[in-house]
């Protein structure tokens, strides 16, 4: 992220950094991409969907970013029909240009450092914000760009020494990113398993563990009920210790923070240090969003936990602080509204897809003056050579069987 960092404030939190990048960006939940893909195939679910698709395509052409997240990759990979994955991947790639939000751990490290700076005074300096928008799978999962490298028998070859090679590698990189989104065809899976360690069931194992962790707390709450305020404090501690403990401890050590001293721990006055830790947790925007959403979900004792809200929380806790406009599903939009998340962070939450086109013209105007090229591929070369459109992707991706 470039440019001067501003601050946003609320009555219940200290000054927080404005995490939005200079290039305006819009986060679309998975269901929106599915709707857009259906509209692109001439099978819109709602009569307004083709208009929404056209507005999104126009905004993307002007340079508005529609970044993908790790959640998009995971949820798309879980679609069993290869043709349906291809349709969604084609729409995602042609609109997003495979632009992605930076890896969660990179963004959270900056957020946590800034919260320590505000709450504990260490680090003494305001930490430098990382780049938010990048391109591709590796940027989303690792926080690093990854370009194709040309080799010969003697080692790495400088592509600039071969006429047309930089442009070819750029387009090959884009095609590769689109293919990663689309996932393998059924006929390719056995070879991937045998030679490349492909094991999609590993994700199922991770999901089962995460689901058990959240569902187990339902029983704990039944035995130890809490008010809304108390529940929120418990979930702050639970979220920090379960999701972010390694990073938290590493930063405490790195900056030599004496936690007992900084929070004013006094066994005779435990409420003092408790308030300090609550303030610290609330100064981490993504952690606060996750806690606020989970507080509302746990208060609904009739709701059974599934992976859908867990993935929604993963995605929204990162998208809302960084994207100017976010389109979640109706349930999550309602939960975000209850906690005032959008206004607090300066992010517009859209609850009805047909309202999205009205939010895009202003962003498109801002995008024209944003630094960098409109596709996000300027790091790999001249952007005009690297923008594959939907027809390119349809023709270049491997043939897939028609959807059933």
């Amino acid at each position: 992220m470039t440019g001067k960092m501003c601050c946003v404030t609320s009555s219940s939190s200290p000054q927080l950094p404005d995490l939005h990048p200079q290039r305006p960006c819009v986060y679309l939940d998975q269901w929106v991409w599915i709707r857009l893909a259906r509209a692109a195939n001439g099978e819109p679910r709602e009569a307004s969907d083709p208009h929404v698709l056209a507005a999104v395509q126009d905004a993307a052409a002007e340079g508005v970013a529609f970044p993908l997240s790790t959640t998009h990759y995971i949820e798309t990979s879980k679609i069993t029909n290869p043709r349906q994955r291809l349709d969604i991947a084609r729409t995602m790639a042609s609109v997003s240009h495979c632009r992605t939000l930076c890896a969660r751990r990179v963004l959270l490290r900056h957020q946590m450092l800034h919260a320590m700076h505000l709450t504990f005074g260490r680090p003494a300096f305001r930490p430098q914000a990382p780049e938010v928008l990048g391109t591709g799978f590796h940027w989303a999962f690792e926080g690093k760009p990854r370009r194709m490298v040309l080799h010969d028998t003697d080692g790495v070859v400088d592509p600039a020494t071969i006429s047309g090679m930089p442009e070819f590698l750029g387009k090959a990189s884009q095609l590769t990113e689109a293919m990663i989104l689309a996932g393998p065809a059924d006929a390719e899976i056995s070879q991937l398993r045998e030679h490349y360690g492909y094991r999609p069931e590993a994700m199922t194992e991770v999901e089962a563990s995460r689901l058990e962790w959240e569902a187990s707390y339902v029983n704990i709450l039944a035995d130890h009920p809490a008010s809304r305020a108390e529940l929120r404090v418990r979930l702050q501690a639970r979220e920090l210790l379960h999701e972010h403990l390694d990073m938290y401890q590493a930063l405490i050590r790195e900056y030599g923070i004496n936690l007992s001293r900084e929070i004013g721990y006094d066994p005779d006055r435990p409420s003092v240090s408790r308030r300090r830790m609550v303030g610290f947790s609330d100064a981490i925007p993504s952690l606060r969003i996750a806690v606020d959403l989970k507080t509302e979900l746990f208060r609904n004792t009739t709701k059974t936990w599934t992976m859908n809200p867990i993935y929604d929380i993963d995605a929204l806790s990162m998208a809302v602080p960084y994207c100017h406009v976010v389109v979640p599903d109706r349930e999550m939009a309602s939960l975000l509204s209850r906690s005032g998340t959008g206004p607090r962070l300066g992010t517009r939450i859209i609850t009805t897809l047909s309202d999205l086109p009205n939010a895009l013209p202003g962003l498109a105007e801002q995008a024209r003056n944003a630094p960098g090229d409109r596709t996000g591929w300027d790091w790999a070369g001249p952007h005009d050579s690297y923008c594959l459109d939907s027809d390119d992707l349809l023709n270049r991706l491997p043939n897939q069987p028609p959807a059933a």
Side-chain angles (χ1 to χ4, degrees):
M1 183 168 65
T2 57
K4 183 178 180 180
M5 181 184 294
C6 300
C7 289
V8 293
T9 62
S10 75
S11 59
S12 59
S13 64
Q15 285 192 334
L16 300 176
D18 183 355
L19 300 174
H20 300 91
Q22 288 186 329
R23 179 166 298 279
C25 51
V26 179
Y27 186 87
L28 305 178
D29 199 10
Q30 183 77 356
W31 69 271
V32 179
W33 287 111
I34 293 172
R35 288 269 292 268
L36 296 180
R38 291 188 60 173
N41 283 346
E43 301 174 348
R45 178 177 173 182
E46 303 288 344
S48 59
D49 285 357
H51 172 61
V52 176
L53 174 63
V56 166
Q57 290 172 328
D58 289 345
E62 293 288 350
V64 176
F66 291 84
L68 306 176
S69 69
T70 55
T71 301
H72 287 120
Y73 286 91
I74 293 170
E75 292 191 321
T76 301
S77 72
K78 293 171 68 64
I79 298 172
T80 57
N81 188 299
R83 181 66 202 197
Q84 290 175 350
R85 289 200 309 270
L86 173 64
D87 289 341
I88 294 170
R90 186 173 71 246
T91 300
M92 284 180 166
S94 62
V95 170
S96 72
H97 308 303
C98 297
R99 186 181 255 131
T100 52
L101 292 174
C102 190
R104 178 185 181 89
R105 67 177 180 273
V106 174
L107 299 180
L108 274 170
R109 186 181 191 276
H110 168 254
Q111 289 186 30
M112 194 170 290
L113 274 177
H114 198 276
M116 290 177 174
H117 169 69
L118 291 175
T119 311
F120 308 141
R122 302 190 71 176
F125 55 88
R126 185 171 64 185
Q128 182 177 358
E131 292 287 344
V132 175
L133 299 175
T135 50
F137 176 89
H138 289 282
W139 184 260
F141 284 85
E142 299 178 4
K144 300 176 182 178
R146 184 74 65 87
R147 68 181 70 198
M148 286 193 166
V149 178
L150 186 64
H151 293 263
D152 65 10
T153 55
D154 296 324
V156 177
V157 177
D158 180 359
T161 62
I162 304 174
S163 177
M165 184 55 67
E167 292 78 10
F168 172 82
L169 288 180
K171 291 185 177 182
S173 295
Q174 269 207 334
L175 177 59
T176 299
E177 293 296 342
M179 291 175 68
I180 290 173
L181 269 175
D186 289 344
E188 299 169 332
I189 290 178
S190 61
Q191 183 179 11
L192 290 172
R193 283 185 179 277
E194 182 178 355
H195 298 290
Y196 300 99
Y198 182 66
R199 202 170 72 88
E201 58 271 14
M203 181 57 63
T204 303
E205 297 167 5
V206 172
E207 288 180 348
S209 175
R210 298 191 67 193
L211 186 57
E212 181 182 6
W213 168 254
E214 301 298 352
S216 67
Y217 199 57
V218 175
N219 296 329
I220 295 175
L221 279 176
D223 295 333
H224 303 280
S227 66
R228 186 186 186 282
E230 177 63 22
L231 173 61
R232 188 174 183 278
V233 175
R234 292 184 190 178
L235 291 176
Q236 280 184 320
R238 198 169 184 264
E239 194 75 7
L240 181 62
L241 295 177
H242 185 264
E243 299 291 336
H244 311 298
L245 182 59
D246 289 346
M247 181 182 296
Y248 174 70
Q249 291 179 326
L251 293 178
I252 289 288
R253 289 193 301 268
E254 182 177 348
Y255 289 94
I257 296 174
N258 184 321
L259 190 60
S260 295
R261 183 182 62 203
E262 296 297 344
I263 65 175
Y265 176 69
D266 182 346
D268 296 326
R269 302 177 62 200
S271 61
V272 174
S273 55
R274 176 180 166 120
R275 284 196 300 269
R276 199 80 182 271
M277 284 303 296
V278 167
F280 168 70
S281 297
D282 277 344
I284 306 172
S286 292
L287 189 151
R288 179 169 182 172
I289 291 170
V291 167
D292 286 342
L293 290 172
K294 289 183 180 182
T295 298
E296 299 301 330
L297 289 171
F298 277 116
R299 291 182 70 220
N300 183 355
T301 57
T302 64
K303 188 175 181 62
T304 301
W305 275 86
T306 66
M307 281 305 301
N308 286 340
I310 293 175
Y311 279 138
D312 284 340
I313 292 169
D314 285 349
L316 295 174
S317 64
M318 302 310 300
V320 174
Y322 294 98
C323 294
H324 298 77
V325 173
V326 174
V327 189
D329 65 26
R330 287 184 181 274
E331 179 186 32
M332 288 294 157
S334 175
L335 299 184
L336 289 168
S337 176
R338 293 181 198 178
S339 58
T341 299
R344 184 176 68 251
L345 295 177
T347 297
R348 180 175 178 181
I349 309 294
I350 290 182
T351 58
T352 304
L353 186 56
S354 58
D355 291 338
L356 177 59
N358 293 332
L360 298 178
L363 297 181
E365 181 65 29
Q366 297 175 38
R368 296 186 193 108
N369 299 318
D373 83 296
R374 69 180 187 276
T375 70
W377 283 81
D378 49 352
W379 61 273
H383 71 267
D384 288 338
S385 300
Y386 294 157
C387 186
L388 296 176
D389 61 27
S390 60
D391 289 335
D392 286 327
L393 291 170
L394 180 62
N395 293 331
R396 294 170 186 257
L397 286 174
N399 291 328
Q400 304 276 12

